[in-house]
Amino acid sequence: MQAMRWDDLQFFLSLARTGLLAAAARQLEVDATTVGRRIRRLERELGGQTLFVQGRDGHVLTEAGRRLLRRVETIERETTAILGGDESSGEAIRGRLRISASEGFGTWLIASHLGDFAAAHRHLAIDLAANTGFLDPSRREADVAILLARPQRGPLITKKLTDYRLRLYAASAYLDARGPIGSSADLPAHPMVGYIPDLLYSPELNYLDEVRTGIEAQLRCSSINTQYQLIAAGAGIGVLPCFIGDRDPSLARVLPEIVITRSFWLVTHQDSRHLPRNALFVAWLSALVAQQRGRLLGETGDRPPPA
């Protein structure tokens, strides 16, 4: 261990967290060949130990690799504290933090406030993957993930972040033109907006049957932000999280007795949960969610009237 170069360990750390040579290379601003060469040199310096095996989805840590990762992350934490001074102030936090979140939560909750977090921790580089799908913290694709369901396996630390509610929404102009909707029996007469069933990235998004059994969407797309745009444009009626639908004063709730509840789960890898940047973000996000709980549950005073 004494003969090893710290920068070789940085290459190891990046590949362990991304699982892909190309992704590690982008993170380190080198080419993939260089990453592979540095990993092989590190393995030689460790007496020929194999740190990774090539799997179908990328590079997977061996048992020797997992042991080294625990030691390297300990070194990383200690180095951060030494270089940064008072860690409790947040000024010590350095490195790159990768966050994975659903498109809606990432866009409408995290992105709306992430600038403040970044400004308070200017030595921290942040990746926000907010899209239709999740990065897997068990494979080190993300440092922190906000998921729609609790993972059932993997070396993960999981806790419930918050419940959130979804309701039916339509543009007020659409309702003015088409008339009020008195019950769910009226819905088949209207174009419904929803997900493409075979492209759902989480079964928790399959909720139209909770609105009315057997109802199908006429306008389907894989993106919740695109669904919001369709509803706001008056294309039809659809289900949106309250933290999206209630933000737009041009939208009105439809059939207020229909309320769907889902949950967000906060997930980190068990070996990296104590990294200062991870712990800092988790604390910040938990505080943000507590502050925004009214929006998440659709209980804010600025919500539109039901139609």
Side-chain angles (χ1 to χ4, degrees):
M1 193 77 175
Q2 292 179 353
M4 279 186 280
R5 303 167 177 85
W6 171 244
D7 55 346
D8 282 350
L9 295 177
Q10 294 280 55
F11 277 76
F12 165 78
L13 199 56
S14 184
L15 184 57
R17 287 173 175 167
T18 63
L20 298 170
L21 284 173
R26 287 193 299 270
Q27 195 174 86
L28 296 163
E29 299 182 345
V30 297
D31 57 60
T33 303
T34 300
V35 177
R37 186 176 66 252
R38 300 292 282 272
I39 295 300
R40 290 191 296 273
R41 183 170 75 180
L42 181 58
E43 289 176 329
R44 288 195 302 271
E45 291 174 345
L46 287 167
Q49 292 185 40
T50 299
L51 300 175
F52 298 92
V53 293
Q54 179 71 54
R56 183 179 60 183
D57 299 322
H59 283 69
V60 180
L61 285 165
T62 63
E63 180 57 36
R66 288 192 289 273
R67 287 197 302 269
L68 179 61
L69 181 61
R70 288 191 289 269
R71 297 179 69 183
V72 173
E73 288 184 330
T74 298
I75 295 170
E76 184 184 42
R77 287 195 297 271
E78 293 174 352
T79 302
T80 297
I82 292 169
L83 293 177
D86 181 10
E87 191 170 285
S88 64
S89 70
E91 290 298 319
I93 307 303
R94 300 170 185 269
R96 182 170 297 278
L97 172 71
R98 177 164 292 182
I99 307 151
S100 176
S102 64
E103 182 189 26
F105 187 80
T107 301
W108 294 81
L109 262 293
I110 296 179
S112 298
H113 302 273
L114 193 59
D116 294 336
F117 177 80
H121 308 287
R122 56 190 177 84
H123 298 300
L124 185 63
I126 302 168
D127 294 342
L128 174 60
N131 47 31
T132 54
F134 297 103
L135 302 181
D136 187 352
S138 69
R139 293 167 48 195
R140 303 290 184 146
E141 293 175 343
D143 296 303
V144 180
I146 299 94
L147 306 181
L148 294 173
R150 183 172 193 159
Q152 298 303 307
R153 60 183 180 275
L156 303 171
I157 302 298
T158 304
K159 75 170 186 176
K160 187 175 181 179
L161 181 62
T162 183
D163 288 332
Y164 69 101
R165 292 179 182 146
L166 307 97
R167 294 177 180 269
L168 279 171
Y169 291 88
S172 297
Y174 174 92
L175 295 170
D176 289 343
R178 298 290 295 266
I181 299 169
S183 73
S184 63
D186 297 331
L187 293 176
H190 296 266
M192 297 296 297
V193 177
Y195 282 102
I196 304 170
D198 57 338
L199 295 182
L200 285 175
Y201 62 91
S202 177
E204 283 69 29
L205 299 175
N206 188 16
Y207 37 59
L208 274 187
D209 269 350
E210 296 179 45
V211 174
R212 180 177 172 82
T213 302
I215 198 167
E216 295 183 359
Q218 177 187 358
L219 294 166
R220 309 190 308 184
C221 53
S222 60
S223 161
I224 189 64
N225 287 335
T226 305
Q227 291 176 46
Y228 158 70
Q229 293 291 345
L230 285 166
I231 295 167
I237 300 168
V239 175
L240 293 173
C242 293
F243 62 80
I244 297 178
D246 288 352
R247 291 283 290 271
D248 188 340
S250 74
L251 299 185
R253 290 179 181 177
V254 176
L255 302 178
E257 68 274 14
I258 297 175
V259 181
I260 299 167
T261 301
R262 292 291 189 268
S263 302
F264 288 121
W265 295 85
L266 186 62
V267 182
T268 56
H269 195 283
Q270 66 180 15
D271 292 338
S272 60
R273 66 188 186 279
H274 295 309
L275 286 175
R277 60 177 177 270
N278 291 8
L280 185 72
F281 178 77
V282 167
W284 174 82
L285 182 62
S286 298
L288 175 64
V289 164
Q291 179 190 28
Q292 297 291 317
R293 198 168 307 279
R295 289 191 182 279
L296 288 159
L297 298 177
E299 296 173 347
T300 56
D302 56 354
R303 62 182 181 270

